[in-house]
Amino acid sequence: MTASAKHLEITLETQVESVNLAEEMCLRVAEAAGFGEDDCYRIGMSVREGVINAFHYGNQERPEKKIYLALDITSEKLIIHVLDEGTGFTLADVPDPLAEENLLSTSGRGIFLMRAFMDEFEVVTGRTGGAEIVMSKKLPVPVG
């Protein structure tokens, strides 16, 4: 990272309230970074979905487990990491929510939204052994 890069991280409890906290924190950072209303909505929704997945699927709602949220702002983009303490998963194994047989299922919709709303999206094995979602959005070009 360059000297102008910024890093922020927080450890969240595995509880429903952490979803709103994570979203609010990321929205404030996105606004401060110059993102407009539409992009802030997309970023907020993506963080919300990522933390919900970490809470429900990753940590299986077990309160002794933690969710780790990190944000990096580089000269080019906002990068968001959501890491759980679960067993991880393979992205290819997540059902396509647009497939006819899955239209009434909720599985895979959060990942679908994160992929659609962010410029980059991937899932890697995190330092805890759980899933780490890494997603980014290019910074807006300043006007003038």
Side-chain angles (χ1 to χ4, degrees):
M1 267 194 246
T2 65
S4 64
K6 306 223 182 317
H7 178 80
L8 177 65
E9 65 182 73
I10 185 171
T11 301
L12 300 164
E13 298 298 320
T14 298
Q15 57 188 24
V16 175
E17 293 80 6
S18 293
V19 176
N20 290 335
L21 178 64
E23 180 184 25
E24 184 62 34
M25 185 178 98
C26 290
L27 283 174
R28 288 178 187 233
V29 169
E31 288 170 0
F35 285 100
E37 186 177 338
D38 288 347
D39 279 337
C40 282
Y41 172 80
R42 291 179 182 102
I43 291 165
M45 184 62 70
S46 296
V47 168
R48 185 170 197 79
E49 291 294 337
V51 175
I52 287 170
N53 284 354
F55 165 77
H56 183 68
Y57 296 107
N59 291 351
Q60 299 178 330
E61 302 184 21
R62 293 173 53 193
E64 70 275 11
K65 295 190 175 224
K66 304 292 183 207
I67 300 167
Y68 305 94
L69 175 67
L71 290 87
D72 293 299
I73 301 176
T74 69
S75 59
E76 300 172 353
K77 58 189 169 183
L78 169 63
I79 306 164
I80 301 166
H81 302 258
V82 181
L83 171 63
D84 62 52
E85 292 185 324
T87 57
F89 70 97
T90 304
L91 195 52
D93 294 339
V94 176
D96 176 2
L98 299 180
E100 190 171 334
E101 67 272 15
N102 298 328
L103 290 178
L104 298 178
S105 171
T106 58
S107 186
R109 289 190 183 166
I111 288 176
F112 176 81
L113 288 173
M114 288 182 274
R115 280 181 150 159
F117 287 165
M118 301 299 282
D119 295 326
E120 298 173 315
F121 176 87
E122 68 177 324
V123 178
V124 298
T125 301
R127 59 181 158 68
T128 64
E132 181 174 1
I133 292 172
V134 182
M135 51 190 164
S136 68
K137 193 85 170 153
K138 291 179 188 137
L139 292 178
V141 178
V143 177

